């Protein structure tokens, strides 16, 4: 079957998709977007988290056909639009993860970045207070990490929230 949808602001079409194929497989193997990771294939680890019509979801649990006519935003889509040089720049969340040392092996990182972006937008981006540790832990509960012990991830979320709040107060 043919599936047409929007990924990171661009209309795409995937041909010869078989009925049981996951959105994750289409993103990685057919569209060349390897950011979302294939770890558990059961929706348990969060490594493949994407925005699906504006809501975070595990792309391994979405049949590719369900994406027809929908909007998907992957970790690649978090980067800021290209500047004068044509290169995308890291988003506030991505920069915070790098600076806080929250990126270890990188397998969980894409899902954590998407989920953190969502949390920051729902809190600071909507004019609410920055999330505290318990809110961060709850928001990231579906994302498993075996390398970091989560403290650096929480530090990164706080850093991103601070920067988002500062950017919001200057605009």
């Amino acid at each position: 079957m043919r599936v047409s949808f929007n990924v990171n602001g661009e209309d795409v079409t995937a041909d010869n998709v078989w009925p049981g194929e996951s959105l994750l497989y289409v993103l990685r193997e057919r569209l060349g977007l390897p950011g979302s990771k294939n770890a558990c294939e059961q929706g348990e680890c969060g490594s493949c988290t994407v925005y699906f019509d504006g809501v975070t979801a595990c792309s391994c649990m979405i049949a590719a056909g369900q994406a027809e006519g929908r909007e998907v935003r992957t970790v690649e889509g978090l980067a800021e639009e290209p500047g004068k040089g044509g290169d995308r720049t890291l988003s506030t969340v991505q920069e915070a993860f790098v600076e806080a040392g929250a990126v270890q092996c990188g397998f969980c990182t894409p899902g954590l970045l998407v989920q953190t972006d969502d949390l920051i937008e729902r809190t600071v981006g909507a004019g609410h207070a920055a999330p505290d540790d318990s809110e961060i832990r709850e928001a990231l509960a579906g994302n498993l990490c075996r390398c970091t012990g989560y403290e650096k991830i929480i530090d990164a979320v706080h850093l991103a929230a601070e920067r988002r709040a500062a950017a919001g107060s200057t605009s």
Side-chain angles (χ1 to χ4, degrees):
M1 78 176 136
R2 171 178 280 175
V3 181
S4 298
F5 56 107
N6 185 288
V7 179
N8 301 327
E10 181 181 330
D11 291 331
V12 298
T13 298
D15 289 317
N16 301 318
V17 175
W18 51 275
E21 203 165 298
S22 70
L23 175 60
L24 174 62
Y25 185 86
V26 169
L27 291 170
R28 290 180 56 82
E29 305 302 328
R30 296 187 183 277
L31 300 178
L33 295 167
S36 303
K37 301 301 181 211
N38 185 1
C40 73
E41 295 184 14
Q42 297 177 15
E44 296 291 329
C45 72
S47 293
C48 67
T49 302
V50 297
Y51 282 105
F52 189 68
D53 279 345
V55 178
T56 58
C58 291
S59 60
C60 71
M61 299 302 294
I62 300 170
Q66 290 178 282
E68 179 66 36
R70 311 287 280 277
E71 279 190 39
V72 175
R73 186 171 173 216
T74 68
V75 67
E76 290 94 345
L78 296 183
E80 304 296 330
E81 289 302 314
K84 289 183 181 180
D87 294 329
R88 288 180 169 257
T89 58
L90 295 179
S91 70
T92 301
V93 171
Q94 291 167 319
E95 285 180 351
F97 266 66
V98 171
E99 289 177 31
V103 178
Q104 297 282 312
C105 81
F107 219 76
C108 67
T109 305
L112 284 164
L113 288 167
V114 171
Q115 201 65 42
T116 297
D117 182 76
D118 182 61
L119 173 63
I120 299 297
E121 285 306 311
R122 287 186 291 112
T123 56
V124 179
H128 302 292
D132 62 23
D133 283 3
S134 88
E135 291 169 313
I136 294 168
R137 289 179 189 277
E138 183 177 337
L140 301 182
N143 295 78
L144 303 178
C145 176
R146 296 177 63 148
C147 299
T148 65
Y150 297 97
E151 290 307 313
K152 291 181 185 246
I153 293 167
I154 292 170
D155 292 345
V157 177
H158 284 299
L159 181 59
E162 290 169 13
R163 290 182 176 167
R164 177 66 169 88
S169 66
T170 60
S171 47

